[in-house]
Amino acid sequence: MSGNIPPEDAIFDANYPSYFRSISAVHWTPIKVIAESVKWLESKNAVHILDIGSGVGKFCLYGCVISDLLFTGVEIRKNLVEISNQVAHKLGLSQVNFLCQNITEIEFTPFNAAYFYNPFCEQEAISGQIDDSLTVGMDVLTAYETHVFQQLENAPVGFLFITYGSPHFQPPSCYAVQEILMQNELVFWKRVK
């Protein structure tokens, strides 16, 4: 395990195969970020949260461990969805669902909040990809971000949106920052108009 992974992350990451533990610090949400996000979501009476690009499901799964919130993760890679489901079963978590779909196929209407941890970064990275199974490129990145932006625009007033490690993605202007934590990395947004 990498020396830069906090102990609480190493403990939870033990639920995953070794390769996915080894890339946790780069690709999966840290436990402290999940805990802060869940605390904020609960304080705003969120019920059902969409994790955009859920990877191995860490945000959703740990969110279920510490709360009664409902989570749905959407991930394009079938193997990551399978791992997410295996860990959910192992931990006995029932308030979580993982979809193996492209984000452009997902409507945000069933949810009242969404989580965004730079899910499309592999589209522009020259190294550090999870694997080589994706078609990458700026046109794909633009399609993904445009869809998310449009879904956020169509969401009702009160919709909650969390960004982590995503300084280049800004939601529509109808969203206002509610709180910023962790050296500006974790931003809580709410649709206000």
Side-chain angles (χ1 to χ4, degrees), residues 24-41:
S24 179
V26 174
H27 291 286
W28 320 136
T29 304
I31 293 292
K32 66 181 183 177
V33 171
I34 302 169
E36 287 293 337
S37 297
V38 165
K39 183 170 87 174
W40 185 75
L41 289 164

Side-chain angles (χ1 to χ4, degrees), residues 182-193:
M182 300 181 182
Q183 299 172 331
N184 301 324
E185 287 290 308
L186 181 61
V187 184
F188 300 120
W189 306 82
K190 182 177 181 180
R191 177 154 190 182
V192 294
K193 57 183 178 178

Side-chain angles (χ1 to χ4, degrees), residues 18-74:
S18 62
Y19 172 71
F20 298 108
R21 290 194 306 268
S22 74
I23 62 172
S24 179
V26 174
H27 291 286
W28 320 136
T29 304
I31 293 292
K32 66 181 183 177
V33 171
I34 302 169
E36 287 293 337
S37 297
V38 165
K39 183 170 87 174
W40 185 75
L41 289 164
E42 289 179 320
S43 76
K44 302 297 181 193
N45 299 312
V47 176
H48 195 176
I49 295 86
L50 174 66
D51 181 3
I52 302 165
S54 57
V56 293
K58 186 174 176 181
F59 180 83
C60 297
L61 294 167
Y62 191 72
C64 289
V65 168
I66 62 173
S67 77
D68 292 326
L69 297 173
L70 302 174
F71 291 87
T72 295
V74 61

Side-chain angles (χ1 to χ4, degrees), residues 14-182:
N15 291 295
Y16 297 105
S18 62
Y19 172 71
F20 298 108
R21 290 194 306 268
S22 74
I23 62 172
S24 179
V26 174
H27 291 286
W28 320 136
T29 304
I31 293 292
K32 66 181 183 177
V33 171
I34 302 169
E36 287 293 337
S37 297
V38 165
K39 183 170 87 174
W40 185 75
L41 289 164
E42 289 179 320
S43 76
K44 302 297 181 193
N45 299 312
V47 176
H48 195 176
I49 295 86
L50 174 66
D51 181 3
I52 302 165
S54 57
V56 293
K58 186 174 176 181
F59 180 83
C60 297
L61 294 167
Y62 191 72
C64 289
V65 168
I66 62 173
S67 77
D68 292 326
L69 297 173
L70 302 174
F71 291 87
T72 295
V74 61
E75 171 59 48
I76 199 167
R77 292 176 171 101
K78 183 179 180 184
N79 66 319
L80 300 187
V81 171
E82 289 170 351
I83 291 167
S84 300
N85 283 321
Q86 290 167 5
V87 175
H89 179 74
K90 175 182 176 181
L91 298 176
L93 302 173
S94 60
Q95 77 266 31
V96 63
N97 181 40
F98 294 101
L99 306 173
C100 184
Q101 288 183 267
N102 188 310
I103 190 61
T104 61
E105 301 168 348
I106 302 297
E107 299 288 324
F108 288 17
T109 51
F111 311 99
N112 60 353
Y115 177 71
F116 189 95
Y117 173 26
N118 204 6
F120 315 130
C121 66
E122 290 178 278
Q123 299 303 319
E124 56 188 344
I126 56 172
S127 65
Q129 286 89 356
I130 295 169
D131 58 34
D132 61 359
S133 67
L134 295 182
T135 301
V136 297
M138 293 309 290
D139 55 334
V140 178
L141 174 66
T142 300
Y144 289 169
E145 288 187 344
T146 298
H147 178 76
V148 170
F149 190 89
Q150 289 171 342
Q151 291 299 307
L152 291 171
E153 265 188 330
N154 295 334
V157 170
F159 191 88
L160 306 172
F161 186 56
I162 300 173
T163 56
Y164 173 65
S166 305
H168 301 296
F169 183 84
Q170 296 293 308
S173 61
C174 52
Y175 285 77
V177 172
Q178 304 294 293
E179 191 171 353
I180 300 174
L181 300 173
M182 300 181 182

